[in-house]
Amino acid sequence: VAEDDAWVEGQSLISTVEDVELIDPDLSGERLLYRLFHERGVRVFSPLALQAKCSCSRDAVSAMLKSFAPQDRAEMVKDGKVVVTCEFCSSVYQFTPQEAGAEDGAAP
Ligand SMILES: [Zn+2]
């Protein structure tokens, strides 16, 4: 698949930037962008603050646990508890087997 011409052009222009230009205090990012891409037109948007935020919650994890089959929940019990780590934000949620809807493996 041939790369888009604009992308190739952008890459080739970016590759002309010298390291010293990137740390030049007299050369703002806006000026550098204009220097590189003025022929295509440069639009700089206002910066937006970013915030690391995950939508996970103890309630959501609990609801997810309850969607598993009872046997799967029982297999998640380790050392008398169920520990779930969010893969996105690394938050750790701990539940008792009862809270997780899993018996301790000692079901009759
Ligand atoms: Zn999370």
Side-chain angles (χ1 to χ4, degrees):
V1 178
E3 288 196 84
D4 183 76
D5 286 347
W7 175 244
V8 173
E9 181 188 330
Q11 281 184 313
S12 111
L13 286 169
I14 275 289
S15 71
T16 66
V17 177
E18 309 267 344
D19 290 352
V20 66
E21 290 181 287
L22 295 175
I23 57 170
D24 183 349
D26 294 326
L27 180 58
S28 69
E30 287 85 350
R31 278 183 59 192
L32 183 58
L33 279 173
Y34 184 79
R35 186 182 287 181
L36 290 169
F37 300 112
H38 64 92
E39 283 182 17
R40 280 195 176 258
V42 173
R43 247 174 109 190
V44 178
F45 293 89
S46 301
L48 288 174
L50 294 181
Q51 186 183 10
K53 192 170 187 314
C54 184
S55 62
C56 73
S57 68
R58 187 174 170 83
D59 283 350
V61 173
S62 176
M64 182 267 298
L65 283 173
K66 293 192 168 84
S67 72
F68 291 155
Q71 189 189 337
D72 294 336
R73 281 180 278 185
E75 286 170 2
M76 295 178 76
V77 179
K78 299 258 157 52
D79 299 325
K81 60 195 178 205
V82 174
V83 179
V84 177
T85 304
C86 175
E87 296 291 331
F88 297 103
C89 70
S90 300
S91 291
V92 177
Y93 298 94
Q94 286 196 24
F95 301 86
T96 66
Q98 290 74 27
E99 286 173 330
E103 296 311 318
D104 240 333

XYZ file of all heavy atoms in Angstrom:
825
model
N 0.854 -1.204 0.000
C 0.000 0.000 0.000
C 0.884 1.247 0.000
O 1.751 1.396 0.863
C -0.928 0.023 1.246
C -1.760 1.294 1.255
C -1.799 -1.211 1.267
N 0.684 2.088 -0.981
C 1.471 3.325 -1.054
C 1.049 4.276 0.055
O -0.127 4.384 0.380
C 1.260 3.988 -2.411
N 2.041 4.911 0.661
C 1.712 5.848 1.731
C 1.154 7.129 1.131
O 1.521 7.542 0.040
C 2.958 6.144 2.555
C 3.371 4.960 3.425
C 4.350 5.371 4.513
O 3.885 5.841 5.558
O 5.556 5.209 4.301
N 0.280 7.739 1.901
C -0.323 8.982 1.476
C 0.758 10.035 1.232
O 1.682 10.184 2.025
C -1.289 9.460 2.566
C -2.004 10.730 2.158
O -2.929 10.638 1.338
O -1.613 11.805 2.653
N 0.638 10.763 0.125
C 1.658 11.759 -0.234
C 1.885 12.780 0.871
O 3.020 13.162 1.152
C 1.240 12.501 -1.513
C 1.403 11.624 -2.745
O 2.058 10.564 -2.623
O 0.875 11.992 -3.804
N 0.801 13.237 1.492
C 0.934 14.259 2.534
C 1.716 13.722 3.722
O 2.514 14.436 4.335
C -0.448 14.743 2.979
N 1.489 12.445 4.024
C 2.200 11.835 5.151
C 3.694 11.725 4.835
O 4.550 12.047 5.657
C 1.598 10.454 5.452
C 2.313 9.681 6.511
C 2.976 8.507 6.373
C 2.441 10.034 7.903
N 3.514 8.106 7.570
C 3.200 9.027 8.510
C 2.002 11.120 8.665
C 3.528 9.055 9.873
C 2.323 11.154 10.021
C 3.067 10.125 10.609
N 3.991 11.270 3.608
C 5.390 11.150 3.180
C 6.063 12.517 3.210
O 7.192 12.669 3.694
C 5.474 10.530 1.769
C 6.907 10.564 1.256
C 4.950 9.104 1.798
N 5.345 13.521 2.710
C 5.901 14.877 2.687
C 6.150 15.378 4.114
O 7.195 15.950 4.409
C 4.922 15.823 1.970
C 5.420 17.249 1.869
C 4.341 18.179 1.327
O 3.492 17.732 0.540
O 4.341 19.358 1.742
N 5.170 15.115 4.994
C 5.317 15.525 6.390
C 6.515 14.868 7.041
O 7.301 15.525 7.734
N 6.680 13.586 6.807
C 7.822 12.872 7.384
C 9.137 13.426 6.868
O 10.099 13.599 7.612
C 7.738 11.384 7.017
C 6.767 10.609 7.872
C 6.816 9.131 7.528
O 6.787 8.753 6.359
N 6.890 8.305 8.548
N 9.165 13.714 5.566
C 10.422 14.179 4.986
C 10.755 15.583 5.495
O 11.913 15.895 5.758
C 10.362 14.074 3.466
O 10.327 15.328 2.867
N 9.737 16.423 5.698
C 9.996 17.761 6.250
C 10.445 17.684 7.707
O 11.384 18.371 8.119
C 8.736 18.638 6.134
C 8.421 19.129 4.721
C 7.034 19.741 4.663
C 9.479 20.124 4.250
N 9.771 16.827 8.480
C 10.130 16.677 9.899
C 11.568 16.184 10.032
O 12.293 16.573 10.950
C 9.150 15.699 10.587
C 7.905 16.440 11.047
C 9.795 14.969 11.750
C 8.097 17.366 12.225
N 11.984 15.333 9.087
C 13.330 14.763 9.190
C 14.412 15.811 8.955
O 15.586 15.562 9.227
C 13.495 13.603 8.197
O 13.546 14.106 6.872
N 14.022 16.992 8.439
C 15.020 18.046 8.216
C 15.293 18.858 9.479
O 16.181 19.698 9.496
C 14.564 19.033 7.105
O 13.411 19.749 7.571
C 14.236 18.304 5.821
N 14.488 18.611 10.532
C 14.673 19.379 11.768
C 15.961 18.928 12.456
O 16.193 17.739 12.645
C 13.472 19.185 12.723
C 13.711 19.935 14.040
C 12.193 19.649 12.064
N 16.775 19.905 12.806
C 18.026 19.597 13.512
C 17.735 19.519 15.015
O 16.874 20.238 15.527
C 19.051 20.726 13.280
C 19.255 21.101 11.837
C 20.407 20.332 11.198
O 21.206 19.762 11.955
O 20.477 20.310 9.958
N 18.492 18.663 15.704
C 18.323 18.552 17.160
C 18.418 19.920 17.826
O 17.661 20.245 18.736
C 19.401 17.629 17.754
C 19.181 16.178 17.346
O 18.124 15.895 16.742
O 20.058 15.352 17.626
N 19.356 20.723 17.351
C 19.592 22.020 17.982
C 18.364 22.931 17.843
O 18.108 23.770 18.699
C 20.871 22.684 17.400
C 20.671 23.026 15.935
C 21.276 23.898 18.209
N 17.582 22.714 16.777
C 16.364 23.517 16.613
C 15.318 23.156 17.670
O 14.540 24.004 18.101
C 15.761 23.295 15.222
C 16.595 23.883 14.099
C 15.965 23.658 12.748
O 15.991 22.493 12.275
O 15.428 24.609 12.183
N 15.315 21.888 18.072
C 14.299 21.440 19.030
C 14.552 21.992 20.427
O 13.640 22.052 21.247
C 14.261 19.898 19.078
C 13.814 19.220 17.786
C 13.933 17.710 17.927
C 12.383 19.600 17.438
N 15.799 22.362 20.709
C 16.104 22.900 22.044
C 16.428 24.395 21.991
O 16.848 24.969 22.978
C 17.277 22.132 22.710
C 18.522 22.172 21.819
C 16.882 20.688 23.006
C 19.765 21.639 22.535
N 16.212 25.007 20.832
C 16.488 26.438 20.694
C 15.405 27.246 21.411
O 14.241 27.220 21.006
C 16.503 26.791 19.194
C 16.861 28.254 18.956
O 16.885 29.030 19.938
O 17.107 28.607 17.789
N 15.773 27.954 22.483
C 14.754 28.698 23.229
C 14.155 29.848 22.417
O 13.072 30.338 22.737
C 15.514 29.224 24.451
C 16.956 29.203 24.070
C 17.113 28.112 23.058
N 14.855 30.278 21.357
C 14.333 31.369 20.530
C 13.421 30.868 19.414
O 12.868 31.658 18.654
C 15.496 32.169 19.915
C 16.293 32.899 20.975
O 15.679 33.333 21.974
O 17.529 33.017 20.815
N 13.288 29.547 19.309
C 12.453 28.988 18.242
C 11.260 28.275 18.877
O 11.381 27.163 19.383
C 13.284 28.013 17.397
C 12.567 27.338 16.222
C 12.015 28.374 15.256
C 13.512 26.393 15.506
N 10.124 28.939 18.855
C 8.939 28.332 19.472
C 8.429 27.185 18.609
O 8.759 27.082 17.425
C 7.836 29.388 19.627
O 7.354 29.758 18.356
N 7.616 26.340 19.203
C 7.017 25.243 18.455
C 6.206 25.766 17.286
O 6.225 25.189 16.196
N 5.498 26.878 17.522
C 4.681 27.466 16.459
C 5.543 27.922 15.285
O 5.205 27.697 14.122
C 3.869 28.660 17.000
C 2.715 28.270 17.883
C 3.131 28.071 19.342
O 4.356 28.044 19.633
O 2.231 27.933 20.188
N 6.664 28.554 15.604
C 7.542 29.032 14.525
C 8.147 27.869 13.756
O 8.273 27.923 12.525
C 8.650 29.931 15.093
C 8.186 31.357 15.305
C 9.319 32.254 15.802
N 10.445 32.295 14.870
C 11.640 32.812 15.193
N 11.836 33.295 16.400
N 12.607 32.848 14.308
N 8.517 26.846 14.488
C 9.095 25.673 13.828
C 8.067 25.016 12.907
O 8.365 24.654 11.765
C 9.591 24.674 14.875
C 10.300 23.422 14.345
C 11.512 23.795 13.491
C 10.716 22.524 15.493
N 6.845 24.905 13.400
C 5.775 24.336 12.569
C 5.575 25.164 11.310
O 5.439 24.627 10.208
C 4.459 24.297 13.361
C 4.270 23.142 14.325
C 3.001 23.349 15.138
C 4.201 21.822 13.567
N 5.565 26.491 11.500
C 5.350 27.358 10.344
C 6.497 27.229 9.352
O 6.276 27.110 8.143
C 5.190 28.819 10.794
C 4.872 29.721 9.637
C 3.569 29.776 9.133
C 5.870 30.475 9.011
C 3.272 30.568 8.038
C 5.584 31.267 7.920
C 4.289 31.319 7.430
O 4.002 32.087 6.343
N 7.721 27.193 9.893
C 8.893 27.062 9.032
C 8.794 25.794 8.177
O 9.113 25.787 6.994
C 10.141 27.012 9.911
C 11.448 27.028 9.155
C 12.618 26.923 10.091
N 12.844 28.154 10.847
C 13.827 28.313 11.731
N 14.643 27.309 11.998
N 13.989 29.441 12.368
N 8.323 24.706 8.794
C 8.282 23.420 8.101
C 7.097 23.300 7.148
O 7.222 22.788 6.045
C 8.208 22.275 9.115
C 9.454 22.013 9.952
C 9.124 21.037 11.070
C 10.582 21.476 9.084
N 5.947 23.761 7.615
C 4.718 23.383 6.895
C 3.931 24.558 6.323
O 2.776 24.402 5.948
C 3.803 22.581 7.836
C 4.436 21.307 8.341
C 4.775 21.175 9.676
C 4.696 20.258 7.488
C 5.358 20.002 10.149
C 5.282 19.078 7.939
C 5.619 18.954 9.270
N 4.568 25.732 6.221
C 3.804 26.912 5.790
C 3.210 26.745 4.403
O 2.169 27.324 4.099
C 4.680 28.173 5.863
C 5.848 28.149 4.939
N 5.782 28.674 3.672
C 7.100 27.644 5.078
C 6.959 28.496 3.081
N 7.774 27.877 3.911
N 3.827 25.932 3.564
C 3.286 25.796 2.205
C 1.927 25.113 2.201
O 1.112 25.347 1.312
C 4.267 25.025 1.312
C 5.431 25.902 0.865
C 6.395 25.196 -0.062
O 6.023 24.140 -0.626
O 7.521 25.691 -0.213
N 1.701 24.272 3.190
C 0.398 23.591 3.275
C -0.566 24.330 4.180
O -1.743 23.976 4.249
C 0.573 22.171 3.807
C 1.035 21.197 2.749
C 0.835 19.792 3.205
N 1.189 18.860 2.149
C 0.278 18.244 1.392
N -0.998 18.458 1.597
N 0.660 17.412 0.459
N -0.053 25.302 4.898
C -0.897 26.019 5.843
C -0.791 25.383 7.211
O -0.880 24.163 7.334
N -0.572 26.189 8.218
C -0.412 25.679 9.576
C -1.525 26.219 10.456
O -1.816 27.405 10.440
C 0.959 26.105 10.164
C 1.052 25.715 11.631
C 2.100 25.479 9.382
N -2.178 25.357 11.157
C -3.213 25.753 12.116
C -2.810 25.221 13.478
O -2.601 24.022 13.625
C -4.549 25.116 11.735
C -5.592 26.108 11.287
C -6.791 25.350 10.815
N -7.885 25.497 11.760
C -8.996 24.794 11.704
N -9.135 23.867 10.781
N -9.947 24.998 12.569
N -2.684 26.084 14.437
C -2.322 25.652 15.783
C -3.542 25.824 16.681
O -4.110 26.915 16.772
C -1.133 26.465 16.338
C -0.810 26.037 17.769
C 0.092 26.278 15.446
N -3.950 24.755 17.300
C -5.108 24.802 18.191
C -4.675 25.144 19.603
O -3.532 24.904 19.990
C -5.828 23.447 18.189
C -6.459 23.127 16.863
C -5.740 22.468 15.882
C -7.776 23.502 16.596
C -6.307 22.175 14.647
C -8.349 23.213 15.370
C -7.617 22.560 14.398
N -5.596 25.699 20.370
C -5.293 25.995 21.768
C -5.008 24.691 22.492
O -5.676 23.691 22.249
C -6.481 26.679 22.440
O -6.787 27.867 21.767
N -4.028 24.728 23.372
C -3.728 23.484 24.100
C -4.865 23.093 25.038
O -5.554 23.954 25.582
C -2.461 23.815 24.890
C -2.381 25.295 24.938
C -3.152 25.830 23.767
N -5.064 21.806 25.153
C -6.057 21.282 26.094
C -5.322 20.531 27.192
O -4.416 19.752 26.906
C -7.006 20.309 25.387
C -8.026 20.894 24.421
C -8.775 19.774 23.720
C -9.004 21.785 25.178
N -5.719 20.758 28.411
C -5.097 20.026 29.511
C -5.535 18.573 29.448
O -6.712 18.284 29.208
C -5.498 20.646 30.838
N -4.594 17.682 29.629
C -4.921 16.266 29.636
C -5.001 15.783 31.070
O -4.296 16.276 31.948
C -3.844 15.455 28.900
C -3.703 15.703 27.412
C -2.629 14.806 26.839
C -5.019 15.454 26.698
N -5.860 14.830 31.282
C -6.008 14.276 32.619
C -6.089 12.766 32.497
O -6.873 12.251 31.700
C -7.291 14.834 33.255
C -7.453 14.441 34.695
C -8.769 14.957 35.280
O -9.618 15.446 34.568
N -8.904 14.835 36.577
N -5.248 12.094 33.249
C -5.321 10.645 33.258
C -6.550 10.241 34.060
O -6.701 10.623 35.211
C -4.060 10.048 33.876
N -7.444 9.513 33.412
C -8.673 9.165 34.108
C -9.162 7.829 33.589
O -9.235 7.618 32.382
C -9.739 10.238 33.860
C -10.940 10.126 34.765
C -11.815 11.370 34.600
C -12.956 11.407 35.596
N -13.699 10.155 35.736
N -9.467 6.929 34.494
C -9.999 5.637 34.103
C -11.425 5.563 34.620
O -11.737 6.081 35.685
C -9.150 4.517 34.689
S -9.672 2.880 34.143
N -12.276 4.914 33.861
C -13.683 4.858 34.254
C -13.968 3.665 35.164
O -15.126 3.403 35.488
C -14.573 4.805 33.010
O -14.283 3.635 32.279
N -12.931 2.957 35.585
C -13.201 1.807 36.439
C -13.623 2.259 37.836
O -13.354 3.380 38.244
C -11.982 0.884 36.519
S -10.611 1.515 37.503
N -14.309 1.383 38.526
C -14.737 1.671 39.893
C -14.961 0.334 40.587
O -15.071 -0.704 39.926
C -16.040 2.469 39.908
O -17.101 1.663 39.437
N -15.007 0.386 41.899
C -15.251 -0.843 42.647
C -16.596 -1.459 42.233
O -16.698 -2.672 42.056
C -15.226 -0.534 44.151
C -15.296 -1.782 44.999
C -15.114 -1.482 46.478
N -15.425 -2.675 47.242
C -14.560 -3.662 47.449
N -13.324 -3.554 47.005
N -14.926 -4.743 48.109
N -17.595 -0.606 42.044
C -18.912 -1.102 41.639
C -18.847 -1.783 40.268
O -19.453 -2.839 40.056
C -19.927 0.049 41.585
C -20.403 0.452 42.978
O -20.099 -0.277 43.949
O -21.060 1.496 43.089
N -18.114 -1.150 39.330
C -18.032 -1.709 37.977
C -17.290 -3.044 37.992
O -17.682 -3.987 37.296
C -17.325 -0.723 37.040
N -16.221 -3.116 38.781
C -15.466 -4.367 38.857
C -16.320 -5.451 39.509
O -16.350 -6.599 39.074
C -14.143 -4.161 39.631
C -13.435 -5.494 39.855
C -13.223 -3.211 38.872
N -17.053 -5.053 40.540
C -17.941 -5.993 41.225
C -18.998 -6.543 40.262
O -19.264 -7.745 40.227
C -18.604 -5.282 42.409
O -19.535 -6.133 43.024
N -19.571 -5.643 39.456
C -20.589 -6.069 38.490
C -19.975 -7.011 37.455
O -20.607 -7.993 37.034
C -21.198 -4.843 37.803
N -18.723 -6.705 37.043
C -18.029 -7.555 36.067
C -17.810 -8.949 36.663
O -18.027 -9.963 36.000
C -16.711 -6.878 35.697
C -15.860 -7.567 34.660
S -14.636 -8.681 35.357
C -13.608 -7.568 36.319
N -17.407 -8.995 37.944
C -17.189 -10.293 38.602
C -18.475 -11.109 38.617
O -18.461 -12.319 38.378
C -16.710 -10.075 40.043
C -15.246 -9.681 40.233
C -14.984 -9.339 41.695
C -14.330 -10.808 39.778
N -19.573 -10.441 38.876
C -20.851 -11.147 38.987
C -21.315 -11.703 37.652
O -22.200 -12.555 37.604
C -21.914 -10.223 39.594
C -21.585 -9.906 41.055
C -22.747 -9.248 41.788
C -22.488 -9.224 43.292
N -21.670 -8.082 43.715
N -20.721 -11.199 36.537
C -21.107 -11.706 35.217
C -20.398 -13.023 34.899
O -20.735 -13.691 33.932
C -20.790 -10.659 34.132
O -19.394 -10.566 33.921
N -19.393 -13.381 35.717
C -18.685 -14.635 35.474
C -19.473 -15.818 36.015
O -20.270 -15.681 36.939
C -17.311 -14.621 36.142
C -16.328 -13.662 35.518
C -15.276 -13.153 36.258
C -16.450 -13.265 34.194
C -14.361 -12.264 35.690
C -15.552 -12.386 33.625
C -14.498 -11.887 34.375
N -19.206 -16.981 35.457
C -19.828 -18.204 35.956
C -19.319 -18.481 37.370
O -18.175 -18.150 37.690
C -19.485 -19.372 35.036
N -20.176 -19.067 38.218
C -19.775 -19.338 39.607
C -18.442 -20.081 39.712
O -17.618 -19.765 40.570
C -20.922 -20.200 40.136
C -22.096 -19.811 39.305
C -21.533 -19.482 37.943
N -18.220 -21.036 38.822
C -16.966 -21.803 38.885
C -15.763 -20.901 38.602
O -14.719 -21.014 39.245
C -17.019 -22.955 37.877
C -15.842 -23.924 38.033
C -15.771 -24.938 36.900
O -16.767 -25.212 36.237
N -14.584 -25.470 36.660
N -15.914 -19.997 37.619
C -14.813 -19.077 37.300
C -14.516 -18.162 38.489
O -13.366 -17.869 38.790
C -15.163 -18.233 36.070
C -15.263 -19.092 34.811
O -14.648 -20.174 34.802
O -15.961 -18.680 33.869
N -15.594 -17.709 39.159
C -15.393 -16.836 40.320
C -14.671 -17.596 41.425
O -13.772 -17.061 42.065
C -16.742 -16.326 40.830
C -17.278 -15.180 39.977
C -18.605 -14.699 40.492
N -19.676 -15.571 39.996
C -20.967 -15.354 40.192
N -21.349 -14.319 40.909
N -21.869 -16.162 39.700
N -15.039 -18.864 41.608
C -14.391 -19.663 42.652
C -12.903 -19.820 42.356
O -12.071 -19.778 43.261
C -15.064 -21.024 42.757
N -12.566 -19.935 41.066
C -11.158 -20.105 40.698
C -10.346 -18.832 40.876
O -9.114 -18.861 40.877
C -11.059 -20.584 39.243
C -11.449 -22.057 39.095
C -11.578 -22.479 37.626
O -11.322 -21.636 36.738
O -11.947 -23.638 37.389
N -11.037 -17.703 41.025
C -10.321 -16.437 41.200
C -9.924 -16.192 42.651
O -9.193 -15.252 42.946
C -11.188 -15.260 40.718
C -11.454 -15.296 39.217
S -12.531 -13.938 38.703
C -11.378 -12.557 38.759
N -10.412 -17.012 43.562
C -10.074 -16.831 44.977
C -8.645 -17.290 45.221
O -8.287 -18.433 44.931
C -11.046 -17.617 45.882
C -10.654 -17.421 47.351
C -12.481 -17.172 45.646
N -7.818 -16.352 45.692
C -6.429 -16.686 46.033
C -6.176 -16.172 47.436
O -6.449 -15.003 47.718
C -5.450 -16.019 45.054
C -5.629 -16.459 43.603
C -4.571 -17.465 43.197
C -5.010 -18.327 42.012
N -5.499 -17.607 40.855
N -5.661 -17.015 48.291
C -5.376 -16.622 49.671
C -6.605 -16.015 50.347
O -6.509 -15.013 51.076
C -4.208 -15.625 49.731
C -2.922 -16.227 49.184
O -2.710 -17.443 49.374
O -2.136 -15.486 48.561
N -7.765 -16.574 50.067
C -8.976 -16.129 50.749
C -9.553 -14.824 50.254
O -10.400 -14.229 50.908
N -9.076 -14.343 49.110
C -9.668 -13.120 48.572
C -9.585 -13.108 47.059
O -8.827 -13.875 46.454
C -8.983 -11.882 49.154
C -7.499 -11.807 48.850
C -6.796 -10.773 49.731
C -5.301 -10.783 49.426
N -4.482 -10.306 50.513
N -10.377 -12.217 46.478
C -10.344 -12.029 45.028
C -9.734 -10.659 44.768
O -10.220 -9.650 45.274
C -11.769 -12.102 44.423
C -11.735 -11.755 42.932
C -12.367 -13.498 44.632
N -8.650 -10.637 44.033
C -7.959 -9.378 43.729
C -8.051 -9.128 42.227
O -7.701 -9.996 41.429
C -6.477 -9.422 44.172
C -5.780 -8.109 43.821
C -6.377 -9.700 45.662
N -8.561 -7.968 41.873
C -8.683 -7.601 40.463
C -7.857 -6.339 40.226
O -8.009 -5.353 40.937
C -10.160 -7.327 40.083
C -10.267 -6.879 38.625
C -11.012 -8.571 40.323
N -6.967 -6.396 39.237
C -6.175 -5.218 38.878
C -6.672 -4.690 37.541
O -6.740 -5.435 36.565
C -4.679 -5.580 38.772
O -4.260 -6.166 40.005
C -3.837 -4.340 38.477
N -7.028 -3.412 37.516
C -7.481 -2.798 36.264
C -6.302 -2.733 35.297
O -5.243 -2.215 35.624
C -8.036 -1.404 36.521
S -8.488 -0.542 34.996
N -6.492 -3.276 34.090
C -5.402 -3.313 33.115
C -5.098 -1.929 32.549
O -4.053 -1.716 31.952
C -5.770 -4.252 31.956
C -5.931 -5.706 32.356
C -4.607 -6.352 32.748
O -3.565 -5.923 32.228
O -4.629 -7.265 33.584
N -6.025 -0.995 32.724
C -5.817 0.336 32.150
C -5.079 1.259 33.104
O -4.147 1.954 32.716
C -7.153 0.960 31.751
C -7.861 0.185 30.686
C -8.931 -0.627 31.008
C -7.446 0.250 29.365
C -9.583 -1.368 30.025
C -8.083 -0.479 28.384
C -9.157 -1.291 28.718
N -5.501 1.268 34.379
C -4.932 2.248 35.313
C -4.212 1.598 36.482
O -3.689 2.291 37.349
C -6.019 3.184 35.826
S -7.191 2.377 36.930
N -4.171 0.265 36.504
C -3.465 -0.477 37.554
C -4.074 -0.329 38.943
O -3.428 -0.656 39.934
C -1.976 -0.093 37.601
O -1.366 -0.390 36.377
N -5.299 0.195 39.023
C -5.974 0.218 40.320
C -6.217 -1.221 40.767
O -6.532 -2.084 39.951
C -7.326 0.940 40.234
O -7.131 2.309 40.020
N -6.057 -1.454 42.061
C -6.245 -2.798 42.599
C -7.502 -2.827 43.461
O -7.680 -1.972 44.331
C -5.018 -3.239 43.426
C -5.248 -4.618 44.046
C -3.765 -3.256 42.554
N -8.390 -3.779 43.169
C -9.630 -3.927 43.935
C -9.622 -5.290 44.607
O -9.351 -6.301 43.963
C -10.850 -3.807 43.018
C -10.958 -2.461 42.334
C -10.420 -2.270 41.066
C -11.565 -1.394 42.970
C -10.496 -1.027 40.439
C -11.653 -0.147 42.358
C -11.116 0.020 41.091
O -11.190 1.241 40.483
N -9.884 -5.292 45.897
C -9.919 -6.546 46.648
C -11.340 -6.820 47.123
O -12.032 -5.920 47.578
C -8.993 -6.455 47.865
C -7.521 -6.537 47.495
C -6.646 -6.835 48.700
O -7.111 -7.396 49.687
N -5.385 -6.461 48.601
N -11.729 -8.075 47.006
C -13.052 -8.502 47.444
C -12.914 -9.754 48.296
O -12.019 -10.575 48.056
C -13.952 -8.828 46.243
C -14.153 -7.681 45.298
C -13.236 -7.446 44.271
C -15.233 -6.822 45.438
C -13.403 -6.374 43.405
C -15.411 -5.753 44.575
C -14.496 -5.528 43.554
N -13.798 -9.894 49.244
C -13.890 -11.186 49.918
C -14.579 -12.137 48.939
O -15.267 -11.685 48.018
C -14.730 -11.091 51.203
O -16.087 -10.781 50.827
C -14.202 -10.014 52.149
N -14.390 -13.449 49.117
C -15.085 -14.393 48.230
C -16.591 -14.155 48.233
O -17.248 -14.277 47.194
C -14.721 -15.756 48.822
C -13.406 -15.530 49.496
C -13.483 -14.127 50.047
N -17.140 -13.800 49.398
C -18.581 -13.541 49.488
C -18.951 -12.329 48.622
O -19.917 -12.373 47.857
C -18.998 -13.293 50.943
C -18.930 -14.539 51.836
C -17.499 -14.942 52.188
O -16.604 -14.112 52.228
N -17.285 -16.234 52.421
N -18.171 -11.252 48.736
C -18.449 -10.055 47.930
C -18.369 -10.369 46.445
O -19.108 -9.804 45.631
C -17.439 -8.947 48.256
C -17.660 -8.275 49.602
C -16.512 -7.319 49.930
O -15.370 -7.543 49.501
O -16.790 -6.332 50.635
N -17.430 -11.233 46.074
C -17.240 -11.562 44.663
C -18.223 -12.621 44.188
O -18.223 -13.005 43.025
C -15.806 -12.050 44.430
N -19.052 -13.102 45.103
C -20.006 -14.141 44.739
C -19.316 -15.467 44.525
O -19.806 -16.321 43.783
N -18.156 -15.643 45.150
C -17.408 -16.900 45.030
C -17.258 -17.523 46.403
O -16.832 -16.861 47.335
C -16.030 -16.648 44.418
N -17.607 -18.788 46.526
C -17.374 -19.470 47.800
C -15.896 -19.821 47.894
O -15.156 -19.760 46.912
C -18.248 -20.719 47.893
C -19.731 -20.399 47.903
C -20.097 -19.300 48.914
O -19.575 -19.322 50.047
O -20.902 -18.419 48.570
N -15.472 -20.183 49.075
C -14.046 -20.357 49.339
C -13.458 -21.647 48.767
O -12.361 -22.030 49.144
C -13.803 -20.334 50.848
C -12.865 -19.200 51.230
O -12.051 -18.821 50.359
O -12.938 -18.725 52.367
N -14.159 -22.266 47.851
C -13.683 -23.553 47.378
C -14.090 -24.666 48.299
O -13.737 -25.812 48.107
N -14.829 -24.306 49.369
C -15.263 -25.292 50.361
C -16.760 -25.535 50.247
O -17.430 -25.772 51.253
C -14.916 -24.803 51.770
N -17.253 -25.387 49.018
C -18.695 -25.601 48.833
C -19.046 -27.046 49.132
O -18.258 -27.945 48.857
C -19.081 -25.260 47.394
N -20.217 -27.270 49.721
C -20.618 -28.619 50.101
C -20.826 -29.529 48.870
O -21.160 -29.046 47.828
C -21.939 -28.453 50.866
C -22.432 -27.092 50.518
C -21.229 -26.279 50.105
Zn -8.982 1.548 35.880
